[in-house]
Amino acid sequence: VMSRFARHLDRTAIAGLVLWTVLVGAVGCKGDQAATAGQQKAGSSAPAPRPVRVVPAQEVEVAQTVVATGTLAAEDQVILGLKVPGRLGELLVDLGSPVRRGQAVARLDPTDYRLRVEQAEAALKQARARLGLSPDGTDDRVDPAETALVRQARAVLDEARLTRDRMAQLWEQKFIARAQLDAAIAALEVAEGRIQDAVEEVRNRQAVLVQRRTEVEITRQQLADTVLASPIDGAVSQRQASVGEYLSPGTPVVTVVRVHPLRLRLAVPERESGSVRAGQTVRVTVEGDATVYAGRVARLSPAIQEQSRTLMIEAEVPNEPGRLRPGAFAKAEIVTQAGRRVVMVPASSIIVFAGIEKVITVRDGRASETRVRTGRRDGDRVEIAEGLAAGEPVVVQPGNLTGGQAVTIVP
């Protein structure tokens, strides 16, 4: 019995010793952790504020516009051809050559036409000489009664009239037969007919003179038509003939396009067509050119196109330096209303996440997210249609900045 009691006492003592050891270790570990946490808390500090750059939202005056795209076209395009046939002797322009109105662009060999002019001038001198005029004069007026042909016929008439009078006296005195008087009367009538014929011949020669002078003018015009001149100011867009080639009348030689001003054809959506009017300003840009060209609305179609539901309009764009080219694709902004005030912020300050637009402002040294609704874009600025007032500071290029972070504003 004593032996069993001693073994039981030993097991109880051992269990108590183990329990005391565990409790002492737990208390020691907890003390160490508390000491370590205290040391860490004492040695750590709050994160430094993040430097940000801000700009105030600006209220600016902008114009209300309608955006459309279209194609630039030449105001006029003329295919030049000669009015007379001949062999092309000179071609004075080539592709891209600028030309002025009235400038010669090509010439035919003029030899044949010069000879025709000389022939017609000789025929004119002959016609003037037949009317008793000087061959080299320019006055074609003539009095038929003063021409040699009429004076000769009048002299014959006067002689026939005297002969008839004498025969009448002799017949009254019974010195001649009646037949001789009748012959004298007939000769007088023939003389009267000849003077009328002489007057008509003079008038016919006058008509021939007019015809010869007209022929001279025609041949001179044909000689002038051997030179092909441009009817407009522009530039050569195509050369269609070569020197030495025989050309028929109307054969294309060169094509000239007017490059100032240009015509811009635009398709405006039906929902915005009601605000477009003739005379409104149009701002035009083309691919690869940062310059903004100014034009004006010149013409509007009277009907909406049913297939595309758009209104076709035409704008005139000045192009005196010639930097714009016909056929180029262009983007245009039609200024339909000026003087609308809007709030604008830099485009780099807009954050878009899951379709939600927002900006980050600074309030009491901390970043604050503000949801906004944007409008039109103007270069590197964006219109804020809703959610932000003018003058509020917005963070430029916020990156991963979130609301609630401490920030410091830097220049």
Side-chain angles (χ1 to χ4, degrees):
V1 173
M2 290 301 291
S3 177
R4 287 198 300 270
F5 176 75
R7 288 196 298 268
H8 176 73
L9 183 61
D10 291 340
R11 287 195 297 268
T12 302
I14 292 171
L17 181 61
V18 171
L19 180 60
W20 180 83
T21 302
V22 171
L23 290 176
V24 172
V27 172
C29 291
K30 186 175 181 180
D32 292 341
Q33 290 178 356
T36 302
Q39 292 174 359
Q40 290 180 353
K41 185 174 181 179
S44 63
S45 61
R50 178 172 171 175
V52 295
R53 187 167 59 90
V54 300
V55 296
Q58 295 181 344
E59 185 179 22
V60 297
E61 188 173 290
V62 298
Q64 186 173 352
T65 62
V66 173
V67 179
T69 56
T71 302
L72 290 167
E75 187 79 13
D76 294 308
Q77 178 171 311
V78 183
I79 300 176
L80 301 183
L82 290 154
K83 293 172 61 177
V84 294
R87 194 170 303 280
L88 188 60
E90 290 181 276
L91 190 57
L92 307 175
V93 296
D94 209 331
L95 178 65
S97 299
V99 295
R100 306 293 297 178
R101 182 177 181 180
Q103 177 183 338
V105 298
R107 290 190 179 95
L108 293 180
D109 184 359
T111 304
D112 294 344
Y113 294 96
R114 286 201 184 101
L115 294 176
R116 291 177 186 176
V117 170
E118 294 175 1
Q119 183 181 21
E121 289 176 345
L124 174 63
K125 292 179 180 179
Q126 182 182 13
R128 288 180 57 84
R130 294 195 66 188
L131 284 171
L133 300 173
S134 61
D136 297 326
T138 58
D139 188 1
D140 295 340
R141 291 176 299 177
V142 64
D143 184 4
E146 299 300 325
T147 61
L149 193 64
V150 174
R151 288 201 306 266
Q152 181 180 2
R154 185 180 295 111
V156 173
L157 176 62
D158 293 341
E159 181 183 4
R161 186 177 290 113
L162 291 174
T163 300
R164 185 207 59 182
D165 293 343
R166 285 193 297 267
M167 289 299 179
Q169 292 176 0
L170 291 174
W171 184 78
E172 288 176 357
Q173 297 174 4
K174 305 299 181 180
F175 291 145
I176 60 173
R178 177 69 186 181
Q180 290 179 310
L181 177 61
D182 293 340
I185 294 172
L188 177 60
E189 293 177 353
V190 171
E192 289 175 348
R194 284 179 178 175
I195 194 171
Q196 181 65 30
D197 184 66
V199 172
E200 293 177 355
E201 177 63 21
V202 171
R203 290 174 178 171
N204 181 58
R205 292 180 182 180
Q206 286 179 310
V208 171
L209 176 61
V210 174
Q211 180 181 357
R212 295 292 181 263
R213 187 166 294 282
T214 302
E215 290 174 354
V216 169
E217 296 300 325
I218 290 175
T219 54
R220 287 175 178 173
Q221 183 61 48
Q222 289 177 341
L223 178 60
D225 289 339
T226 59
V227 178
L228 181 61
S230 173
I232 60 173
D233 297 335
V236 177
S237 64
Q238 188 176 3
R239 192 184 84 168
Q240 295 146 293
S242 301
V243 174
E245 184 179 353
Y246 186 86
L247 304 176
S248 301
T251 301
V253 178
V254 294
T255 299
V256 177
V257 296
R258 188 192 299 275
V259 295
H260 170 68
L262 291 179
R263 180 177 298 187
L264 176 59
R265 296 186 177 94
L266 300 170
V268 177
E270 181 181 6
R271 64 181 179 275
E272 298 176 329
S273 62
S275 59
V276 179
R277 300 287 185 272
Q280 291 175 338
T281 301
V282 180
R283 297 196 291 258
V284 182
T285 56
V286 296
E287 194 72 24
D289 189 351
T291 306
V292 178
Y293 300 90
R296 66 177 185 86
V297 178
R299 289 166 288 274
L300 288 81
S301 172
I304 299 289
Q305 294 187 355
E306 297 182 1
Q307 293 82 3
S308 59
R309 311 309 304 177
T310 57
L311 175 69
M312 293 301 300
I313 70 170
E314 289 186 350
E316 288 186 354
V317 183
N319 187 36
E320 192 169 359
R323 296 177 60 184
L324 297 174
R325 299 182 183 275
F329 179 78
K331 181 179 179 181
E333 290 184 350
I334 305 169
V335 181
T336 58
Q337 183 181 354
R340 188 169 64 95
R341 302 192 66 84
V342 298
V343 176
M344 305 286 285
V345 299
S348 61
S349 64
I350 303 296
I351 301 173
V352 181
F353 180 76
I356 298 175
E357 298 174 318
K358 58 185 178 180
V359 296
I360 296 181
T361 62
V362 176
R363 293 185 177 90
D364 300 329
R366 292 190 176 275
S368 174
E369 295 182 359
T370 302
R371 186 171 177 176
V372 296
R373 182 171 61 86
T374 61
R376 63 187 296 272
R377 180 182 290 267
D378 183 13
D380 60 349
R381 299 185 303 173
V382 177
E383 174 190 352
I384 301 298
E386 183 180 335
L388 192 67
E392 291 192 50
V394 295
V395 177
V396 181
Q397 296 178 345
N400 59 354
L401 183 65
T402 59
Q405 286 186 256
V407 296
T408 180
I409 298 175
V410 298

